[in-house]
Amino acid sequence: MHELVLSGKFVLNGEIVRGSIGIDNGIITDISKRDIKGEETIVFRNNEVILPGLIDTHVHLRDFEQKEKETVESGTKAAVHGGITAVFDMPNTKPPIMDIKTFKERLNILEKHAYTDYAAGFLLAGNCGEASGVRADFYKIFMGTSTGGIFSEDFEIDYSCAPGIASVHAEDPEAINKNPDRPPEAEIRAINKALNAAEKLGKPLNICHVSTAGGIEAILKKNFPWVSFEVTPHHLFLTKMDFEENPLLKVYPPLRSEEHRKALWQSLSKIPIIASDHAPHTIEDKKAGAAGIPGLETEVALLLDATNRGLMTIFDIVEKMHDNPVRFFGIKGRDFSPGNEATFTIADPRREWTVKPEEFYTKAKWSPWEGKKLKGKVVMTVLKGRVVMEDDEIIGKPEGVRLDVQGGKY
Ligand SMILES: NC(=O)N[C@@H](CC(=O)O)C(=O)O
Ligand SMILES: [Zn+2]
Ligand SMILES: [Zn+2]
């Protein structure tokens, strides 16, 4: 008799099967197409599909001196509300996480306040000595400035000294200085520079928020197994016309033309990771020109909505927000198989709802999709056998733990 059984449809080896998942002490102990007995059984009878716990590899939780923008608590509550079970905590905080003392302080806050599991980031910008003194889960490098204004004077030195996987913001500083609108060339130049360094160094590299046709083409042409990349929902679903209508949609890299947006969709099958780049700011800061868009509480729903429009499948969501992050970053214990953590995102691809930012948990209570009707919603989030979110209610405690990120297999 298992402690808990989830009964319903779930994705297994690329197909949707109906069955039961047996859970004991937060661990998957049985996956069966038959009914199995549990002290407690949660039955999903309708359109719900149980997905392996989705992971967002690019999230800005702010906190520290920017609690008005977001805190680890508010941001990870937003994450579980949106069906995200683990976040990669970006280090361009205030103060930035680029020394051993600040990194340790960050781990304390995450340990105390995170409702999701988390990977801890470290900011690399000419501080290789400090970086060698921490074992972060990933190392963030800004080739050009973004929020926080810190960037790498020498990308190749920082990338070469990263003690683990480097995630890079690829916009070229000279191109930005020449044209602060950050045209596609600023990204494409930076991506080519990053790829040349990757070819030379052969070290794992994740290229963040790729937004241009040329950027994706350059990466796919090199096709290095040790290079992965992310695309965000805002670059998949919005264009610079949306920004022209709504200045709040200022983001780095900027929203692009319809031609670039279409190019991302044409390469969808080759996009390894979809990540939100959840970048919360107060409305005042946004009005003062801060760049960044909140995305934790809309990203999975937007993708589910897209499955209803034949743009992608629910298997794409699992592949780009679970399988590939687990494989590329080498996250242990998150596979959907017995012996691994019982962490799940339960989605209802048919649930219709309207985006109401006032109901969000993020402090950034605004959204590009405000008022939009979406078909598809996350209805429950389970972390290690515990229901942490159900029907928009956060019912868990901040029991997230640090992911076991060991660097992946390429
Ligand atoms: N994307 C953004 O426009 N802003 C991000 C930083 C970043 O990811 O570049 C932020 O931290 O606000
Ligand atoms: Zn960035
Ligand atoms: Zn970011």
Side-chain angles (χ1 to χ4, degrees), residues 140 142 169 209:
K140 182 69 183 279
F142 285 88
H169 177 112
H209 40 48

Side-chain angles (χ1 to χ4, degrees), residues 51 54-56 74-86 116 295-304 317 321 344-347 353 359-362 376-381 388-390 392-394:
L51 309 178
L54 301 182
I55 296 167
D56 190 330
S74 60
T76 56
K77 279 181 173 173
V80 287
H81 184 218
I84 301 299
T85 64
T116 61
L296 282 168
E297 292 169 281
T298 46
E299 60 182 318
V300 179
L302 286 163
L303 300 182
L304 290 167
I317 299 174
M321 295 198 72
F344 301 104
T345 301
I346 292 97
W353 65 295
E359 294 172 1
F360 282 178
Y361 289 88
T362 177
K377 192 170 180 12
V378 172
V379 295
M380 185 184 282
T381 307
V388 289
M389 186 285 290
E390 183 172 11
D392 298 320
E393 291 306 311
I394 307 288

Side-chain angles (χ1 to χ4, degrees), residues 58 60 62 92 140 142 146-147 169 209 250-253 277 279 281 291-292:
H58 192 147
H60 298 272
R62 309 296 192 211
N92 64 318
K140 182 69 183 279
F142 285 88
S146 187
T147 301
H169 177 112
H209 40 48
K250 179 179 174 183
V251 64
Y252 297 146
D277 190 13
H281 294 286

Side-chain angles (χ1 to χ4, degrees), residues 146-165:
S146 187
T147 301
I150 294 180
F151 75 107
S152 195
E153 295 290 344
D154 186 318
F155 167 71
E156 197 164 308
I157 289 181
D158 287 329
Y159 174 28
S160 65
C161 83
I165 294 182

Side-chain angles (χ1 to χ4, degrees), residues 38-58:
E39 279 149 35
E40 185 195 353
T41 299
I42 303 176
V43 183
F44 300 102
R45 289 183 207 292
N46 304 315
N47 297 309
E48 302 92 341
V49 183
I50 304 165
L51 309 178
L54 301 182
I55 296 167
D56 190 330
T57 62
H58 192 147

